[in-house]
mmCIF file of all heavy atoms in Angstrom:
data_model
loop_
_atom_site.group_PDB
_atom_site.id
_atom_site.type_symbol
_atom_site.label_atom_id
_atom_site.label_comp_id
_atom_site.label_asym_id
_atom_site.label_seq_id
_atom_site.Cartn_x
_atom_site.Cartn_y
_atom_site.Cartn_z
ATOM 1 N N ILE B 193 41.961 -2.240 -25.569
ATOM 2 C CA ILE B 193 40.887 -3.227 -25.649
ATOM 3 C C ILE B 193 41.491 -4.547 -26.131
ATOM 4 O O ILE B 193 42.179 -4.571 -27.152
ATOM 5 C CB ILE B 193 39.775 -2.737 -26.594
ATOM 6 C CG1 ILE B 193 39.173 -1.442 -26.024
ATOM 7 C CG2 ILE B 193 38.702 -3.800 -26.767
ATOM 8 C CD1 ILE B 193 38.239 -0.738 -26.935
ATOM 9 N N PRO B 194 41.270 -5.640 -25.366
ATOM 10 C CA PRO B 194 41.931 -6.900 -25.720
ATOM 11 C C PRO B 194 41.565 -7.378 -27.125
ATOM 12 O O PRO B 194 40.393 -7.404 -27.492
ATOM 13 C CB PRO B 194 41.407 -7.888 -24.668
ATOM 14 C CG PRO B 194 40.923 -7.051 -23.556
ATOM 15 C CD PRO B 194 40.456 -5.771 -24.156
ATOM 16 N N MET B 195 42.568 -7.722 -27.901
ATOM 17 C CA MET B 195 42.349 -8.194 -29.268
ATOM 18 C C MET B 195 43.396 -9.243 -29.603
ATOM 19 O O MET B 195 44.492 -9.255 -29.041
ATOM 20 C CB MET B 195 42.405 -7.016 -30.253
ATOM 21 C CG MET B 195 43.711 -6.245 -30.242
ATOM 22 S SD MET B 195 43.564 -4.545 -30.839
ATOM 23 C CE MET B 195 43.212 -4.817 -32.560
ATOM 24 N N SER B 196 43.057 -10.151 -30.525
ATOM 25 C CA SER B 196 43.981 -11.240 -30.816
ATOM 26 C C SER B 196 45.130 -10.793 -31.704
ATOM 27 O O SER B 196 46.199 -11.401 -31.677
ATOM 28 C CB SER B 196 43.240 -12.414 -31.449
ATOM 29 O OG SER B 196 42.657 -12.015 -32.655
ATOM 30 N N ASP B 197 44.944 -9.755 -32.473
ATOM 31 C CA ASP B 197 46.022 -9.290 -33.344
ATOM 32 C C ASP B 197 45.650 -7.935 -33.943
ATOM 33 O O ASP B 197 44.485 -7.540 -33.903
ATOM 34 C CB ASP B 197 46.245 -10.297 -34.488
ATOM 35 C CG ASP B 197 47.677 -10.263 -35.004
ATOM 36 O OD1 ASP B 197 48.413 -9.317 -34.647
ATOM 37 O OD2 ASP B 197 48.054 -11.180 -35.740
ATOM 38 N N LEU B 198 46.636 -7.236 -34.491
ATOM 39 C CA LEU B 198 46.344 -6.038 -35.277
ATOM 40 C C LEU B 198 45.889 -6.492 -36.658
ATOM 41 O O LEU B 198 46.165 -7.614 -37.069
ATOM 42 C CB LEU B 198 47.599 -5.167 -35.406
ATOM 43 C CG LEU B 198 48.214 -4.660 -34.099
ATOM 44 C CD1 LEU B 198 49.582 -4.041 -34.379
ATOM 45 C CD2 LEU B 198 47.300 -3.644 -33.463
ATOM 46 N N VAL B 199 45.202 -5.613 -37.364
ATOM 47 C CA VAL B 199 44.698 -5.985 -38.688
ATOM 48 C C VAL B 199 45.263 -5.053 -39.751
ATOM 49 O O VAL B 199 44.843 -3.911 -39.861
ATOM 50 C CB VAL B 199 43.155 -5.913 -38.731
ATOM 51 C CG1 VAL B 199 42.653 -6.435 -40.065
ATOM 52 C CG2 VAL B 199 42.554 -6.697 -37.598
ATOM 53 N N PRO B 200 46.238 -5.507 -40.531
ATOM 54 C CA PRO B 200 46.685 -4.707 -41.665
ATOM 55 C C PRO B 200 45.776 -4.953 -42.870
ATOM 56 O O PRO B 200 45.143 -6.001 -42.975
ATOM 57 C CB PRO B 200 48.094 -5.229 -41.928
ATOM 58 C CG PRO B 200 48.091 -6.619 -41.415
ATOM 59 C CD PRO B 200 47.047 -6.709 -40.337
ATOM 60 N N ALA B 201 45.687 -3.971 -43.759
ATOM 61 C CA ALA B 201 44.837 -4.108 -44.937
ATOM 62 C C ALA B 201 45.472 -3.378 -46.107
ATOM 63 O O ALA B 201 46.183 -2.385 -45.923
ATOM 64 C CB ALA B 201 43.462 -3.516 -44.658
ATOM 65 N N VAL B 202 45.235 -3.885 -47.312
ATOM 66 C CA VAL B 202 45.758 -3.236 -48.511
ATOM 67 C C VAL B 202 44.912 -3.680 -49.702
ATOM 68 O O VAL B 202 44.238 -4.706 -49.635
ATOM 69 C CB VAL B 202 47.255 -3.589 -48.728
ATOM 70 C CG1 VAL B 202 47.440 -5.012 -49.200
ATOM 71 C CG2 VAL B 202 47.916 -2.608 -49.686
ATOM 72 N N ALA B 203 44.933 -2.880 -50.752
ATOM 73 C CA ALA B 203 44.213 -3.264 -51.966
ATOM 74 C C ALA B 203 45.207 -3.680 -53.038
ATOM 75 O O ALA B 203 46.316 -3.150 -53.119
ATOM 76 C CB ALA B 203 43.363 -2.110 -52.462
ATOM 77 N N VAL B 204 44.805 -4.645 -53.852
ATOM 78 C CA VAL B 204 45.567 -4.995 -55.038
ATOM 79 C C VAL B 204 44.639 -4.766 -56.217
ATOM 80 O O VAL B 204 43.458 -5.124 -56.158
ATOM 81 C CB VAL B 204 46.022 -6.467 -55.010
ATOM 82 C CG1 VAL B 204 46.804 -6.812 -56.271
ATOM 83 C CG2 VAL B 204 46.867 -6.736 -53.785
#
Side-chain angles (χ1 to χ4, degrees):
Chain B
I193 298 171
M195 59 204 292
S196 61
D197 207 348
L198 300 169
V199 186
V202 73
V204 179

